[in-house]
Amino acid sequence: MNFGLTFEYSEEMSGVVHTNTAELFLVGQDASNMMGSPAGVCYPTTTAEVQEAVRWARAKGMTFIARGAGTGLAGGAIPTDGSLVICLTKMNNIRSIDVHKRTAWVEPGVLNADLSRRTARDGLHFAPDPSSQQSCTIGGNVANNSGGPHCLSEGVTSAHILALEVVLPSGDVCILDAESSLFDLRGAFIGSEGMFGIATAIEVRLVQNPPHISTMVVGFASVHEGAMAVSAIIAHGIIPSALEMMDAPITRAVEEYVHAGFPLDAAAMLIVEIDGLENSVLDGSRAVKDIVSRFGATSFQVAQSQGERALIWKGRKTAFGAIARIQPNYYLHDTVVPRKKLAEVLSQVSLIATEEHLQVMNVFHAGDGNLHPILMFDKRVDGVMDRVHRAGAEIVRVSLEAGGVLSGEHGIGLEKRDFMRWMFTENDLLFQQKLRSAFDPEGISNPHKVLPRGSGCSDMSSIPPGSWI
Amino acid sequence: MSFGSAVDDLQRQMAISDAVNIVGLNSTGASTVRDEGSVLKAPSGILSYEPDELMISVFAGTSISDINDELQGAKQRIPIPEWGTIGGAVATRRNGLRDSYHQTLPNNVLRCSVIAADGSLYQSGGQVVKNVSGFDLIKLLVGSWGLLGLIVEVTMRTEPIPQVSQWVQSAAPTAIAQVSDLYRPSVVTCFEGNMYVLLEGHEKDVQQQILQLDGFSLCEMPLTNNSPQLTNVNRSSQGVPHSIERAIRKEFDPGNKLNKSIASQRGLLT
Amino acid sequence: MSIDHSFFQLVQEEDLNTCVNCGLCLPHCPTYRVTGEDLYSPRGRINLIRSVKHGELSLTKEVVHALDTCIQCMGCEPACPSGVQYHAIISPAKAEMHSRWKWRDITLRCGLYVVTHMRSLRIFTLAVLLAQKLKMVPKKMPVPALSFRQPQFHLEDEDASKMEVLLFTGCVMDAWYRKVHIDTITLLEALGYSVKVSGDEYGCCGALHEHAGFADSAARMQKKIQRPQSNSMMVVNSAGCSASLKNTFAGSRTVLDINELLFRHITDLQRLLVRRTETVLIQEPCHLRHVQGISREVKELLEIAFTVAQLEDDGLCCGAGGSFSFSQPTMAQAVRDRKIEEIDRVIHSNSSKTIHYLASANPGCLSFLSGASIDVEIVHPVTLLAQSLISQNSTGGVQ
Ligand SMILES: Cc1cc2nc3c(=O)[nH]c(=O)nc-3n(C[C@H](O)[C@H](O)[C@H](O)COP(=O)(O)OP(=O)(O)OC[C@H]3O[C@@H](n4cnc5c(N)ncnc54)[C@H](O)[C@@H]3O)c2cc1C
Ligand code: SF4
Ligand code: SF4
């Protein structure tokens, strides 16, 4: 790497910006079904190098896009019209851990699970735990304001970020924290999907590992009963640390991979975890047991060891991947509905899939009403993509009709950009655009994402070609 | 989205005014700084409350004590000290003692509806507990001191009232070390040389935690006046972040209509 | 540029299709870990092979490099929830590249030939010197005294009541780590086995060649080895070789890695081993953990006699990878550096005790790691177990 050159000298940043077809092909993709068109990719290792890359792109009249591990599902990391991809995976140092204050400064390329692994000895962890946590970067978590099973009680990423060091689209670098401004710019930056600039260092809050944990796996004879039990648990005033649901097909697929002892005969299963101090865990799990049996639980197991618990979570967290055991492609949705509407919306989703002759599976964060219906298909089948998109749009529609929202954790990216009008008025979108403009007046940081095309909201320019394969 | 004639009227007034002072119950004193121009106040009243969803939607002018009275019946609460209006708490980022410890307020606001300087209505968030649809204007509005619009509606998370809430205090030098061994106390704060800790949860757990502490005594909630004063808000008004703030102000209130004196104190007149 | 549509036709569509691009394998890939680049990741490599095969991408030098730098450690395979059979994708792809450009790997072919065929002291020493130059083996490694005859192992008289096992002695293992063979025999005999050795008759198992993509030479070597009868057992103490032999004799349940066999006798060993005070850190060879799924066995065996410490890196590869450290020294050393950092972290963490040994059940890892500076003794777990036999420790023992 000869990043040492300042951008005035490095006309081509030769050797630093890679432009070979193979690499561009790969960084043009993430975990979504989309394909972008990058012009170059570079791997800075310091904040100054990120600045240099941004300035270089500006000088060239190019747009740029931050990339973490590329596990995003909404196409947030898909480069559009010749962006420079600034990949942050080489900025992966944990700069400091303050065990007493329970904070750490990390670089954006640190993998989510690596941080918790490093702080485990001190009894601490980083609370946001997306299912992709072993692979995704904390920078990506910040950009998408990611959630995870345990965000039900812990709150999503933004609740765990204290400060950000950011390279702005202007090329300036600054710290966004509680002291740096009256407005909470740190909060505004989180969830901005790389459109407000690039996070180059992140101060995170670390939380204490719970002294007691009870992890329960409950089987139900129908999805409906499982969903009703979820509402009842919340209504009872128990906030489990996690409350997840998996339907029968996904349970079977996962069980084949992890052998966690999931109930294979159940139509739906819940993973309910309660953690905290001893008596609240005891009482809480007792109450959960009562409630689920009222809703006709067909099986009830409690993890007996840390090993069993780990296996249950491994099963839950690798669930999406296990789908390929059934069909080669999947389209994973992410909408949120009020918890009391879970049962109703789930049955609508299954109707939608039947109508489009698609298989659907559900594995999701039931406790906060965050649905993840997964449509499975083989993209080599003629016309299947049309059916998948139609079904996807319908799922969004029924979720919104039930009083829900477009996305609970994966973000809008390219995927849901054109659905934004279904949820927001033109004026709502205008004010989102205003916020974007304050950070990025020229619209050069990750253009074309989030805000829909037309009426002055989106970045002016063409639609990314070949957004869908 | 319409909130009825009260809000429609406010929108009209906003649109025709050249200068607007936004007030709540003036519990912070911030809104006494009156300039010329009209005085606008969000309506009050509860819009919807769904105990089973742990969520309440209210007009922003509703007082926090009225909200908690409503929640009491379902053994729920919003953990914000009971003075002033919810709109005022949101606008000044007032969390009470929890503020320094857990950032509860920004994370508990789920939706805001706002009358912008031009009189139009905009909304961010939704009536669900998890949401990453679009940019997060809520985080920006929490602590915006009326500079980005008049908040007329707020949807909040509610929480079950814990079985037991107990404050304890100590002036012993070992207090800090002891407290850091506690498992997630609700509040830890230092005030006049004393350390105050709020323990909440299951009765037996709280008892055990108290036993675990040495040299602490039970006490009432410390009567600190930590209501946010603009003059106390220790935030920078220079540098790159400040220029972003100014850019935001310029976008949201190009005519410098809203809370002029606050804006000028913060160097946010554009 | 014209695109060659004829590449990778042997890679099956079904295998490529199970990859959904989720990226869950990324952190389990040592080359992605050290580069952070998609090009050097399992997801990337699968994607490249697929796209070249489908004619969407040409086989550029970057694609070739991406595939060449795959260590074939198979760390990605157990990590993949979709069940992608990565070996079924990479092996034919590599083999195809080698068969198309034979000249490209001429030095590697020669190197392998020397290491796995020439049993003369002269050439062997040369090989070691060469390897030392290439930092494959440590400078301080003593060149073991070699005998030209079959090793003079002390075999008891034929005893019909004793279960017979054939120890596969292999090539590198026999030449450089003969002590491990002796220790293996000591242990097996203590457990009541009668041990025979395969020696020159079988020669090398071809794992190194296969791994490097020389399928033709590997096949030639494998022919020399007889499929073990269903009533006999072949035991192998090199993880790379046991993995390879299991594959060669697919379906045969009579090829066993030594750790598997010993684990079957764990209760006997609890009786036969003394408790020692030292702490052992386990380095898990990829071919044991990822390919054969043998992991807790080694730990539980060592725990009989030692305090055991473990690395926290999910068994990421050390970079040795058969002849990988020879053919891709830059990547191999970067991967090894990461491993050493991880080892150092455990050695120097104040919470764990002093680490006395680093145990690895594969000759490749043993020698490659010995080439780096680590402040602990690097040994094969079998050696540690054999040293802990009561019979070896009490006075008047078999010493
Ligand atoms: C199997 C699977 C399970 C998943 N489960 C969850 C889940 O439970 N919850 C959840 O929330 N998500 C989940 N996701 C989605 C995804 O993993 C998360 O959104 C994750 O946070 C993305 O991180 P990344 O490093 O891969 O980012 P990328 O995909 O590389 O990028 C995502 C976005 O972040 C931007 N970005 C990346 N780094 C920076 C930076 N340093 N500064 C500014 N912008 C940046 C990019 O421009 C892009 O817009 C899952 C994905 C998969 C494949
Ligand atoms: S190989 Fe498996 S884990 Fe890796 S991207 Fe493909 S499906 Fe995901
Ligand atoms: S075999 Fe090893 S080096 Fe090759 S892609 Fe898989 S994990 Fe990476």
Side-chain angles (χ1 to χ4, degrees), chain B residues 88-234:
Chain B
V90 169
T92 59
R93 202 172 215 275
R94 177 161 59 74
N95 230 339
L97 293 170
R98 283 167 213 260
D99 195 20
S100 52
Y101 202 66
H102 300 298
Q103 302 204 327
T104 46
L105 183 63
N107 301 319
N108 285 345
V109 178
L110 301 172
R111 186 178 75 179
C112 280
S113 308
V114 184
I115 299 176
D118 62 2
S120 67
L121 192 71
Y122 68 89
Q123 214 172 44
S124 181
Q127 286 178 308
V128 290
V129 293
K130 200 176 183 192
N131 188 356
V132 293
S133 315
F135 301 136
D136 195 348
L137 295 176
I138 292 176
K139 295 291 181 305
L140 198 66
L141 289 163
V142 176
S144 60
W145 292 81
L147 298 176
L148 303 175
L150 164 61
I151 302 172
V152 285
E153 178 263 356
V154 177
T155 299
M156 293 273 300
R157 245 183 240 276
T158 63
E159 60 178 40
I161 296 175
Q163 222 178 55
V164 183
S165 294
Q166 179 64 56
W167 283 93
V168 295
Q169 69 163 56
S170 167
T174 58
I176 298 180
Q178 289 194 49
V179 169
S180 75
D181 286 343
L182 283 179
Y183 180 69
R184 307 196 189 186
S186 296
V187 178
V188 176
T189 185
C190 277
F191 176 60
E192 289 178 349
N194 270 346
M195 171 157 267
Y196 291 88
V197 182
L198 175 60
L199 300 171
E200 291 184 314
H202 193 284
E203 191 180 354
K204 285 189 202 153
D205 290 332
V206 172
Q207 273 169 8
Q208 276 174 15
Q209 286 194 306
I210 293 172
L211 285 177
Q212 184 192 329
L213 291 169
D214 187 28
F216 274 77
S217 56
L218 306 188
C219 67
E220 292 297 310
M221 181 170 101
L223 288 174
T224 64
N225 175 18
N226 80 332
S227 83
Q229 302 285 318
L230 191 62
T231 44
N232 294 346
V233 175
N234 180 24

Side-chain angles (χ1 to χ4, degrees), chain A residues 321 324, chain C residues 18-26 42-43 46 76 79-84 86:
Chain C
T18 35
C19 174
V20 293
N21 230 31
C22 68
L24 290 186
C25 51
L26 297 176
R43 175 171 75 170
I46 295 168
C76 49
C80 172
S82 298
V84 169
Y86 183 73

